[in-house]
Amino acid sequence: MIRRSLPSLVALALCACAAPTPKPLPAAAPVVPSTPAAPAPAVADATLPAEADLAAARAAFVRETAQRFAIPVAQIEAVLARAQIREPIRKAMARPAEARPWRDYRPIFIQPARIAGGRAFLDAHRAALQRAEDTYGVPKEIIAAILGVETSYGANQGSWPVVDALYTLAFAYPRSGDPARVAYEDRRQAFFRDELAQLFALGKEEGLDIGTLKGSYAGAMGWGQFMPSSYRQYAVDGDGDGRRDLFNDIDDVIASVANYFARKGGWQRGGAVMVRAQRDPAAADFANPGNTVTLDQTVDALARLGYRPVVPGVPGDAAATLITLEGADGPEYWIVYNNFRAITTYNISRLYATAVYQLAQAIAGRGDGGA
């Protein structure tokens, strides 16, 4: 989750390494050398920070984190001394699954094995899921679907050292070379630098050896893939044992996901998520680009624009908006409500939120949500 947020991760193109242009051969007849030519010296990756810049940024980070969270400088430096900038992490950041069209994204999550896994998870942990639903108002199947999408119900919590993931993105966030994207890329690097600092604070508060933690390439951790700041803010002790363990304690995991939706997402108990819309033949295209969900319409207002819910039931004055997805059979029109927006606070992607909802519907035995 960068949800994340786990704002959503927008695809960035990595700059190509600049290679020296070979000099032309002289006009004289070529001479074949008797020994192989020495290889050209390696060219530095211009998208990586210079050593001096990295050292200065690290030193400032250590000072600020030590002061901010009352952590010994030596402890922070010892962890960072073992941290590595990982090029595969930088490359992965440039090609998130959310860059795919819905017709290609959907089959990743709405498929028999994941649905069956969700139903098994529901049966195995029904009591904890019911407690969370009663306390926070988030349906059992939504909690299960989040864990199914994020980690296949805990089976794949990530294999990257969390310190390395956050260190890479904090100090070597991939740069596109596009001047128009500099401010955005600076903000993203600042976000991950803060998450690295939050990781040190989390280790102190929860007694975690952060150098041993594994997670996603973006630094998300545990069954629910919480970023360090979300772990600190929204993780709860679901079974009363005095700890908040999102790696091994399923009661804590379930309660924490529900608490996140209630507190961060503003989940409305019993509220609608999304419904398929029928477009009138004369309706104009509804412009709603990007991933941020702004509920600036009502159900009645969308009907006047020519988009009506296939299955009615939500009051006409309910806040809503319309999204369009690239389905296998052409454009799909969906009216989405507050609880859809709540899912996007976990990961700011309309595709992600739709996948979570449709998987939840399938887990609960209400079809696959795609009607």
Side-chain angles (χ1 to χ4, degrees):
M1 166 180 38
I2 301 180
R3 325 260 351 103
R4 4 144 63 314
S5 259
L6 272 278
S8 147
L9 299 176
V10 181
L12 299 175
L14 294 178
C15 294
C17 299
T21 303
K23 295 181 179 179
L25 292 172
V31 177
V32 178
S34 57
T35 57
V43 178
D45 185 346
T47 69
L48 288 170
E51 284 296 327
D53 294 338
L54 175 59
R58 274 181 46 163
F61 172 85
V62 170
R63 290 192 305 271
E64 292 164 5
T65 303
Q67 182 177 17
R68 182 180 176 189
F69 297 116
I71 300 172
V73 165
Q75 180 180 332
I76 301 172
E77 288 178 337
V79 172
L80 295 186
R82 298 189 297 271
Q84 300 179 45
I85 291 177
R86 307 259 191 167
E87 189 61 26
I89 288 174
R90 301 177 75 235
K91 290 181 178 178
M93 185 59 65
R95 55 174 189 273
E98 285 79 4
R100 308 180 188 195
W102 173 239
R103 62 179 173 270
D104 297 332
Y105 185 88
R106 186 181 191 276
I108 300 172
F109 301 106
I110 316 303
Q111 39 101 336
R114 210 174 297 252
I115 295 168
R119 291 173 178 171
F121 182 86
L122 213 62
D123 289 341
H125 305 290
R126 191 169 295 276
L129 287 162
Q130 189 62 56
R131 283 196 302 272
E133 182 171 339
D134 293 343
T135 302
Y136 302 103
V138 183
K140 295 181 287 294
E141 62 270 20
I142 290 287
I143 300 171
I146 284 286
L147 299 176
V149 168
E150 289 290 341
T151 60
S152 291
Y153 313 102
N156 181 16
Q157 298 183 38
S159 58
W160 288 105
V162 173
V163 169
D164 284 3
L166 294 176
Y167 181 77
T168 296
L169 299 173
F171 295 104
Y173 190 85
R175 300 290 174 155
S176 64
D178 180 355
R181 298 187 64 82
V182 169
Y184 168 80
E185 291 162 357
D186 285 347
R187 289 195 301 272
R188 296 300 293 155
Q189 180 161 288
F191 166 80
F192 286 107
R193 195 167 297 184
D194 180 67
E195 289 296 333
L196 181 59
Q198 298 275 353
L199 181 65
F200 281 97
L202 177 65
K204 176 184 176 181
E205 293 165 354
E206 301 297 328
L208 300 173
D209 180 358
I210 63 174
T212 66
L213 300 180
K214 298 292 181 67
S216 75
Y217 67 84
M221 302 172 289
W223 282 65
Q225 294 291 278
F226 276 40
M227 296 296 288
S229 61
S230 292
Y231 199 131
R232 295 185 67 220
Q233 286 182 269
Y234 303 112
V236 294
D237 177 6
D239 54 8
D241 66 356
R243 301 185 63 230
R244 303 185 301 167
D245 181 0
L246 303 189
F247 296 92
N248 304 298
D249 190 324
I250 195 61
D251 289 333
D252 291 0
V253 169
I254 289 169
S256 297
V257 170
N259 182 56
Y260 181 95
F261 276 127
R263 287 183 55 200
K264 172 73 171 179
W267 187 274
Q268 294 176 351
R269 187 185 296 266
V273 177
M274 64 191 307
V275 66
R276 192 75 171 261
Q278 178 68 47
R279 176 179 177 170
D280 291 347
D285 290 343
F286 186 89
N288 193 348
N291 265 316
T292 301
V293 174
T294 302
L295 303 176
D296 55 359
Q297 302 287 326
T298 65
V299 174
D300 284 346
L302 290 172
R304 289 192 293 272
L305 294 172
Y307 297 91
R308 294 173 174 79
V310 171
V311 180
V314 176
D317 61 354
T321 193
L322 186 92
I323 65 171
T324 304
L325 303 177
E326 300 175 43
D329 298 321
E332 296 180 9
Y333 305 102
W334 292 86
I335 298 173
V336 301
Y337 308 100
N338 177 77
N339 287 348
F340 183 91
R341 183 205 55 78
I343 298 175
T344 66
T345 66
Y346 209 97
N347 181 323
I348 189 168
S349 163
R350 298 174 184 186
L351 302 187
Y352 176 93
T354 305
V356 167
Y357 172 71
Q358 293 193 6
L359 179 59
Q361 291 291 93
I363 289 170
R366 294 190 286 269
D368 61 9

